[in-house]
Amino acid sequence: MNRPLKTLPLMNGAAAMDADWPSKVERRIVALETRIAVEGVHRENVADRLSAIEDTLKWLVRLIVGALLLGLIGFVLQGGLVS
C-alpha cells in the first residue's frame, strides 16, 4: 500500500521566518554583550566594596580586642580580685 506523500503547507504569519531575522539576532547579541559588560563592572564594584568592608571589620575587631586586653591589664595592675 503506497500512501501519497503529504506536502506541508507554507508557514504564514508568526511562524514564518522574517526576512530581517539577521538584524534581530544581531540586536539580541548586542543587548546580551551589553548586559554581560554591565554585570562584569557591577561584579568588580561589589568585590571592591566587599574588600573595603572586610578591611574595616578587621580593624574594628583589632580595636575591640585591644580595648579588652587593655582593660584586663588595667584590672590586673589595680590588684584584680584581691582588693
Side-chain angles (χ1 to χ4, degrees), residues 13-33:
M17 189 176 292
D18 293 333
D20 64 342
W21 71 269
S23 63
K24 287 182 180 179
V25 171
E26 185 176 355
R27 282 190 302 246
R28 291 179 66 190
I29 290 173
V30 168
L32 284 173
E33 288 173 344

Side-chain angles (χ1 to χ4, degrees), residues 6-23:
K6 293 183 179 180
T7 58
L8 296 174
L10 294 175
M11 291 187 268
N12 294 325
M17 189 176 292
D18 293 333
D20 64 342
W21 71 269
S23 63

